[in-house]
Amino acid sequence: MGDDSSLDRSLDFIQLSAGRNFKDRLGKVSEIEAGWAGKLTGIFNIENKSCDVTLDDETITWTVLGNAVHTGGISRSKMKTGDKRLIRLNDVFCVKFKRCLPAKHKSPHEGILLGFAIFLAVRDSKEPNRLRERILTFESSCQPVCDQWVKRIKAVINDFCKRPRQVMIFYQPFAGYGKSQKLYKSVIAPMFHASNIETQVVGK
């Protein structure tokens, strides 16, 4: 956990970028403790937009406040001020801290905190029977706030009783011009690993 001075500096930055009233609201995040009663609210940058975000036991919703300060008012996001967005936590299979790692450091626990990333499995708009991965980053340099949000999201997604803990994978080694094994190891297997799902592979 970060110290109080780092939390105060982060809150001061948010106050300058989003207005004084948001400092009071973000301070309430640290008041929600064991039992996960109520909701978490906070200000995060999403796709270079400053957003008012709310987390409950089913969804993450956010309202766009404006362009994030560090982008200099420039954003390629299609979201506009006042837009509202929602993701359902039953589509989330993993949440991780996001850090800027120096070249010499390979540990995911090192580096400058950028926020946290949520990994979702969403249906392809062109092929409904196919799922694709979507990564959404919630940017914040405040370690205590990110710690609490990541812990809360993990608690919710790990509590979904219908999610499998073990799966058996079948694939044809010679399919896809002989690249199916490489594709599984480089793309599919890391997703199962991130979801803490044990796999038994048939077709090696």
Side-chain angles (χ1 to χ4, degrees):
M1 300 288 288
D3 56 27
D4 293 339
S5 61
S6 64
L7 176 58
D8 289 338
R9 288 194 297 269
S10 180
L11 292 175
D12 287 339
F13 172 79
I14 293 171
Q15 179 182 0
L16 291 174
S17 61
R20 181 176 301 176
N21 60 315
F22 290 109
K23 180 175 181 179
D24 296 332
R25 292 189 55 204
L26 186 56
K28 295 180 181 179
V29 171
S30 60
E31 298 175 3
I32 302 177
E33 300 296 342
W36 308 125
K39 301 179 180 181
L40 294 183
T41 60
I43 307 299
F44 295 90
N45 290 338
I46 305 174
E47 297 179 354
N48 290 333
K49 296 287 188 178
S50 180
C51 300
D52 184 7
V53 187
T54 300
L55 166 67
D56 58 33
D57 286 340
E58 295 183 354
T59 62
I60 299 176
T61 59
W62 63 93
T63 302
V64 180
L65 303 175
N67 289 336
V69 173
H70 66 76
T71 63
I74 300 175
S75 174
R76 295 181 180 179
S77 173
K78 295 182 180 180
M79 296 190 301
K80 299 179 180 179
T81 300
D83 284 355
K84 295 183 178 181
R85 295 287 189 272
L86 174 149
I87 59 174
R88 301 187 183 280
L89 290 177
N90 58 6
D91 292 330
V92 176
F93 65 86
C94 180
V95 56
K96 294 181 178 180
F97 291 105
K98 184 174 181 180
R99 299 181 184 274
C100 179
L101 297 176
K104 296 182 179 180
H105 299 275
K106 297 183 179 180
S107 171
H109 304 291
E110 299 178 354
I112 301 173
L113 179 69
L114 301 178
F116 61 89
I118 288 179
F119 297 76
L120 305 105
V122 298
R123 293 193 180 278
D124 192 300
S125 58
K126 297 182 179 180
E127 299 184 45
N129 292 327
R130 176 180 294 180
L131 295 177
R132 60 181 179 84
E133 182 185 49
R134 179 190 177 193
I135 303 175
L136 191 62
T137 301
F138 293 73
E139 297 180 7
S140 172
S141 60
C142 183
Q143 186 73 57
V145 171
C146 289
D147 282 344
Q148 193 164 38
W149 280 69
V150 169
K151 185 176 181 180
R152 171 72 180 270
I153 294 170
K154 284 184 176 181
V156 173
I157 63 178
N158 289 337
D159 197 43
F160 289 136
C161 59
K162 294 183 179 180
R163 290 195 170 182
R165 293 292 179 256
Q166 297 177 327
V167 296
M168 181 174 290
I169 308 297
F170 295 86
Y171 71 84
Q172 169 56 261
F174 303 104
Y177 301 98
K179 296 181 179 180
S180 60
Q181 185 176 21
K182 181 179 180 181
L183 178 64
Y184 173 78
K185 290 183 177 180
S186 62
V187 179
I188 308 302
M191 296 175 67
F192 283 121
H193 178 72
S195 305
N196 295 318
I197 296 176
E198 297 181 6
T199 59
Q200 180 180 350
V201 179
V202 178
K204 294 183 178 179

